[in-house]
Amino acid sequence: EPEVTQTPSHQVTQMGQEVILRCVPISNHLYFYWYRQILGQKVEFLVSFYNNEISEKSEIFDDQFSVERPDGSNFTLKIRSTKLEDSAMYFCASRRRGNLNTEAFFGQGTRLTVV
Amino acid sequence: QQQVKQSPQSLIVQKGGISIINCAYENTAFDYFPWYQQFPGKGPALLIAIRPDVSEKKEGRFTISFNKSAKQFSLHIMDSQPGDSATYFCAASNVNRDDKIIFGKGTRLHILP
C-alpha cells in the first residue's frame, strides 16, 4: 500500500539553527500539506502546496518557514532559525485531487526538538 | 468559523461498551467530515469519513452520525476493545475547494480491559 514517508523520524537542533524536514508524498498525489502537533495538542495546519506553489498558509507559517518541491518526489519544510516553541511533531500529508479523492494520507511524522 | 469543536477531551470506557465522541462545526461550506485515529508516536490515520448528504455511515464497529441542521457529527465505537485505545480527531474540510483539513482538539480514549 502506498504511503507518505518522512525523514528523519527525530531531529534535535540548537535554537537558531536551520532545519529541513523531508517528505516523500504518494506518487500520483497533487496536493501536499504540512501540519504540526505540539505534544498532547491538536493537529494544526501550516501550509498547503499545489502546482508548485503555496495555495494556503496559516498564521503559524511565518517568514521563518518555507516549503519546496525540489524534484518530482520530495516535499520539504525548512525552518530558517528555530525557536524553542517550534518543538513539535511535524506531519506531511498528501491528497490526490478533487472531491472524489478526498482522503489525505499522513506520514509518520518528524519529532523536532529544539534545545 | 473555521473551528471544529470536539468533546470530551478524554474518555474511559469498559471493554465491550460504546464509545461516543462528539463534534460541532460552524462553517456550512464544509462538505467532508473525516475521523482520524492516532496512536502514540504515529501520524493520524483515516478511520471513517462522511459527506453531508447522508445522516449515518457505518464501517464495522465504527459509525458516524451526522446532523446537518445542528451542524454536529459524532463517532460511535461499538463493542469497544483495548486496541481501540488511542486519540481520535474529528475533522472537516471543503473538498470542492480542495481545502485543508481542520482538526478538532482530539479525544483521548482509553478502553479498560
Side-chain angles (χ1 to χ4, degrees):
Chain A
E1 187 174 304
E3 59 180 14
V4 176
T5 56
Q6 289 185 243
T7 55
S9 57
H10 191 191
Q11 172 97 42
V12 181
T13 189
Q14 293 258 341
M15 189 170 58
Q17 294 295 305
E18 174 183 287
V19 294
I20 297 176
L21 310 183
R22 292 184 164 79
C23 169
V24 179
I26 295 172
S27 62
N28 62 351
H29 285 192
L30 300 177
Y31 286 85
F32 314 113
Y33 308 86
W34 282 102
Y35 287 79
R36 80 170 184 192
Q37 185 180 30
I38 294 171
L39 186 63
Q41 298 187 25
K42 73 172 179 179
V43 181
E44 299 176 290
F45 169 76
L46 291 178
V47 65
S48 57
F49 191 88
Y50 169 70
N51 201 25
N52 285 318
E53 61 183 23
I54 291 174
S55 47
E56 188 175 359
K57 59 184 179 180
S58 72
E59 56 195 29
I60 302 169
F61 194 88
D62 61 22
D63 291 345
Q64 293 300 311
F65 291 87
S66 62
V67 289
E68 200 176 37
R69 190 156 160 82
D71 52 40
S73 59
N74 290 285
F75 178 51
T76 62
L77 174 69
K78 183 193 289 186
I79 308 175
R80 246 179 290 281
S81 177
T82 49
K83 303 187 284 282
L84 293 176
E85 53 265 38
D86 293 329
S87 295
M89 283 288 287
Y90 287 81
F91 293 105
C92 173
S94 71
R95 187 158 65 84
R96 194 169 169 193
R97 175 138 199 210
N99 62 10
L100 293 180
N101 297 288
T102 51
E103 181 176 356
F105 291 84
F106 283 78
Q108 299 278 55
T110 293
R111 180 177 298 280
L112 177 65
T113 303
V114 182
V115 296
Chain B
Q1 209 190 16
Q2 286 288 311
Q3 283 188 349
V4 178
K5 294 182 180 178
Q6 183 172 348
S7 63
Q9 194 172 353
S10 63
L11 182 61
I12 299 174
V13 175
Q14 290 280 350
K15 179 183 174 182
I18 302 173
S19 305
I20 302 174
I21 305 171
N22 300 300
C23 282
Y25 64 98
E26 291 290 324
N27 187 352
T28 54
F30 288 144
D31 59 6
Y32 175 66
F33 301 90
W35 284 88
Y36 286 85
Q37 180 187 55
Q38 185 182 34
F39 292 105
K42 303 292 185 183
L46 180 69
L47 189 63
I48 186 172
I50 198 168
R51 296 283 208 127
D53 52 348
V54 296
S55 60
E56 186 175 281
K57 183 173 181 180
K58 184 174 181 179
E59 289 183 2
R61 295 184 294 110
F62 301 92
T63 300
I64 300 178
S65 297
F66 187 83
N67 185 330
K68 188 173 180 179
S69 60
K71 293 186 281 188
Q72 294 174 347
F73 57 111
S74 60
L75 175 70
H76 296 231
I77 306 174
M78 313 300 285
D79 187 26
S80 300
Q81 299 297 311
D84 297 330
S85 297
T87 299
Y88 292 80
F89 293 95
C90 63
S93 180
N94 183 334
V95 294
N96 279 325
R97 284 177 35 206
D98 291 317
D99 215 354
K100 62 187 178 292
I101 293 172
I102 306 290
F103 284 81
K105 289 191 174 183
T107 296
R108 191 170 293 182
L109 175 65
H110 182 64
I111 308 300
L112 297 172

